[in-house]
Amino acid sequence: MLMISRCHGFLSPSPLKEARSLAQSTIVLKQSFSSLNTETIGPTVEFTDPETGCEVVLVGCFHGTASSAEDVSQAVTPETDIVILELCAARFKDLQRAAEQDVKLQSSGLGGYLNLVSNAIKTKGLATGLVTAVLVGFSDFQSSLSGFEPGIEFRTALDKSILHECDIVLADQVVDETLRRIGSLPQVSWEMNNLSKNVTRVVENWTLNSQSLKQAIVGDESLPRVELGKFLFRNSAAVKDFLRFAAAPLLLMAVSLSAGSSYASDESIMLSDPSIAEQMLHYSASAALFMSTYLGFFLPAVKVILFERDQVLTNGIKASCKRAGKGGRVVAVLGFLHVNGVAKKMLQDTI
């Protein structure tokens, strides 16, 4: 039974034919940990929901990695009543089609990729189609270098949910809305940085979003949290996954630096003895470029992709806590950067 209420869906364990077919493709990992706690499983945050008395376990994941799939496998225990996934109904169905689509794209090459982008533009508009082109292209490039398996943590969660007869909740924002918001980043950036309206409010927004970004990375010392450093290096498998993930960005950075070094070596463009004024101008221009990129693009993108969805995910987890009731146990499988924000909203913020 699939009950959809806005962007939240409850899926009972008895008729999970679709979920079973998806979960059966999950690789069963053999590595085990001694116990379920934040010391042995770095990305896990546990607390009691103050409104319902339900136990909440937030599992932060490095999407597509075997180490995070193992974390999920350990977190979903027989005592779990509901498993919450950072998926909407459309993305859940996409997981089912993922393997088949990968085969088609690989067999059709560039033609299949262009056809996918063309269909996205026709059905969802130019902005969404261009976002799809960038995301799919980068994802394929990243996967080819890292060997990641997209969705493995979610398939592991489904496998364990079926084993322990847990309900499943699809709690994420509808993917089309997320893509629409990403496509409208210029408008979002203008709304956040329009100094002509209210300078004080714009500065407050900068401060609030910067604090939220810090919260997502290192958490709040007064609340249950996970920290990026400990998360990435929690065990040897996680370190290996991180290094494999970093291969693509590091390769691109090395190429860029190499090209920049070759350009700078041209004696015709080098200053033999730059003055203090020239150096100050250079540093000021670099700082201005950095700040404009941070405030004009990076913060708006983080707001759309991360902070707005934190609220949606929090609403889904709270609804699940009410369903499970006092003494119940819910496990939420989230991207790592959502964990601290969701924990703060559930424990500290008024929703």
Side-chain angles (χ1 to χ4, degrees), residues 18-19 26 37 43 72-74 83 85 90 129 141 191 219 226 235 273 289:
E18 292 184 350
T26 302
N37 57 62
V72 171
S73 180
Q74 295 295 315
V83 174
L85 304 180
F141 176 62
E191 292 171 353
V226 290
N235 55 48
D273 187 20
L289 178 61

Side-chain angles (χ1 to χ4, degrees), residues 271-283:
L271 295 173
S272 59
D273 187 20
S275 67
I276 295 178
E278 290 171 331
Q279 293 182 50
M280 290 298 295
L281 179 62
H282 172 75
Y283 294 143

Side-chain angles (χ1 to χ4, degrees), residues 197-235:
K197 286 188 175 181
N198 189 322
V199 175
T200 302
R201 186 173 181 179
V202 170
V203 173
E204 288 176 350
N205 282 335
W206 289 345
T207 303
L208 178 62
N209 284 288
S210 295
Q211 290 174 343
S212 297
L213 180 59
K214 179 182 177 183
Q215 165 81 22
I217 296 172
V218 300
D220 187 329
E221 292 183 359
S222 65
L223 298 171
R225 61 173 178 157
V226 290
E227 298 179 61
L228 180 61
K230 293 180 179 178
F231 168 76
L232 293 177
F233 302 103
R234 63 192 183 276
N235 55 48

Side-chain angles (χ1 to χ4, degrees), residues 20-142:
R20 286 182 189 278
S21 64
L22 178 59
Q24 284 170 354
S25 65
T26 302
I27 299 175
V28 180
L29 303 172
K30 301 302 182 182
Q31 180 184 2
S32 63
F33 295 96
S34 58
S35 61
L36 179 62
N37 57 62
T38 55
E39 293 183 355
T40 55
I41 302 182
T44 303
V45 166
E46 302 183 28
F47 55 88
T48 300
D49 176 37
E51 294 184 3
T52 63
C54 177
E55 180 187 357
V56 179
V57 180
L58 307 180
V59 185
C61 295
F62 197 158
H63 290 311
T65 62
S67 58
S68 285
E70 178 62 25
D71 293 334
V72 171
S73 180
Q74 295 295 315
V76 181
T77 65
E79 295 76 29
T80 303
D81 298 297
I82 299 175
V83 174
I84 303 152
L85 304 180
E86 186 197 326
L87 294 173
C88 63
R91 287 179 62 202
F92 179 81
K93 292 180 180 179
D94 286 343
L95 273 181
Q96 296 175 284
R97 297 192 297 263
E100 180 182 352
Q101 288 179 342
D102 284 345
V103 171
K104 288 182 179 179
L105 282 175
Q106 290 172 7
S107 61
S108 55
L110 180 61
Y113 170 73
L114 294 177
N115 185 56
L116 176 66
V117 174
S118 175
N119 288 336
I121 293 175
K122 288 179 181 178
T123 58
K124 300 176 183 178
L126 178 61
T128 301
L130 293 176
V131 170
T132 300
V134 173
L135 293 180
V136 171
F138 180 78
S139 176
D140 287 348
F141 176 62
Q142 183 79 17

Side-chain angles (χ1 to χ4, degrees), residues 253-330:
M253 185 182 299
V255 172
S256 299
L257 290 175
S258 176
S261 176
S262 298
Y263 178 75
S265 65
D266 186 346
E267 294 182 357
S268 65
I269 64 171
M270 291 183 66
L271 295 173
S272 59
D273 187 20
S275 67
I276 295 178
E278 290 171 331
Q279 293 182 50
M280 290 298 295
L281 179 62
H282 172 75
Y283 294 143
S284 298
S286 298
L289 178 61
F290 171 80
M291 288 304 297
S292 62
T293 302
Y294 176 75
L295 298 175
F297 175 77
F298 187 72
L299 274 188
V302 170
K303 178 179 184 292
V304 167
I305 297 172
L306 189 64
F307 304 149
E308 291 180 358
R309 289 172 59 219
D310 279 354
Q311 185 63 68
V312 177
L313 293 167
T314 299
N315 292 342
I317 295 171
K318 280 186 166 289
S320 301
C321 288
K322 292 178 180 178
R323 181 180 174 92
K326 186 175 182 179
R329 186 176 193 268
V330 303

